[in-house]
Amino acid sequence: MRVIGIDPGLRNLGWGVIESEGSRLTHIANGLCCSEGKDLAVRLLSLHDQLTAVMVEYAPQAAAVEQTFVNRDGAGTLKLGQARGIAMLVPAQAGLPVGEYAPNAVKKAIVGVGHAEKHQIAHMIGLHFPGVKVAGADAADALAIAITHAHHLQSGNRLQAAIARAS
């Protein structure tokens, strides 16, 4: 199954695509969608267009987005929420269900600690996919989100198979 992970951001929206076969994960691609323009609506449109192109090129079968955390800057949180809306809208337009994961859940799944730093996530992504050039911290986070979702889907599939066998 091909999974896209998306780390929403208004300036830089990170994305990462992996392939999951059983317990084997393969890196497909990663990158950043960088918003263009000064007007908020234009910036959101540019993120939408770029992420749509990524979806068309890599044709994922599942998608996951990091949940927004609330910080002290209300206006910044609202703008991040709007970028997150784009990150959820584009996969939904492609007919994909969208998984959502709290930042601490992703960090715990990848690093083993819920309050890991960005450089720790990037390090673990390097261990998962040796030799892969990651476009930046936001792309590394997106790959971490994709890995978390792939593991979640595998667990769900195993549970359903066990329930079917027990029936």
Side-chain angles (χ1 to χ4, degrees), residues 101-119:
Y101 297 93
N104 288 351
V106 174
K107 292 172 183 179
K108 187 161 180 89
I110 300 302
V111 179
V113 179
H115 295 285
E117 300 290 327
K118 280 198 175 273
H119 73 274

Side-chain angles (χ1 to χ4, degrees), residues 42-67:
V42 172
R43 293 173 74 185
L44 292 170
L45 178 61
S46 77
L47 291 175
H48 178 276
D49 292 346
Q50 291 173 62
L51 189 55
T52 298
V54 169
M55 295 289 291
V56 168
E57 183 172 353
Y58 296 105
Q61 298 155 310
V65 176
E66 189 172 73
Q67 292 176 339

Side-chain angles (χ1 to χ4, degrees), residues 32-138:
L32 299 172
C33 298
C34 301
S35 64
E36 300 164 358
K38 294 187 183 206
D39 180 59
L40 178 61
V42 172
R43 293 173 74 185
L44 292 170
L45 178 61
S46 77
L47 291 175
H48 178 276
D49 292 346
Q50 291 173 62
L51 189 55
T52 298
V54 169
M55 295 289 291
V56 168
E57 183 172 353
Y58 296 105
Q61 298 155 310
V65 176
E66 189 172 73
Q67 292 176 339
T68 303
F69 62 91
V70 178
N71 58 33
R72 292 185 181 137
D73 177 17
T77 301
L78 182 59
K79 288 178 183 177
L80 177 59
Q82 292 168 328
R84 187 171 177 273
I86 297 298
M88 294 182 72
L89 172 67
V90 172
Q93 285 179 320
L96 302 180
V98 181
E100 299 179 72
Y101 297 93
N104 288 351
V106 174
K107 292 172 183 179
K108 187 161 180 89
I110 300 302
V111 179
V113 179
H115 295 285
E117 300 290 327
K118 280 198 175 273
H119 73 274
Q120 292 173 298
I121 293 170
H123 176 73
M124 292 305 292
I125 293 302
L127 294 176
H128 273 285
F129 305 120
V132 168
K133 181 167 174 45
V134 178
D138 295 319

Side-chain angles (χ1 to χ4, degrees), residues 155-167:
S155 297
N157 290 341
R158 283 194 296 263
L159 178 61
Q160 286 179 345
I163 291 170
R165 283 192 304 271
S167 299

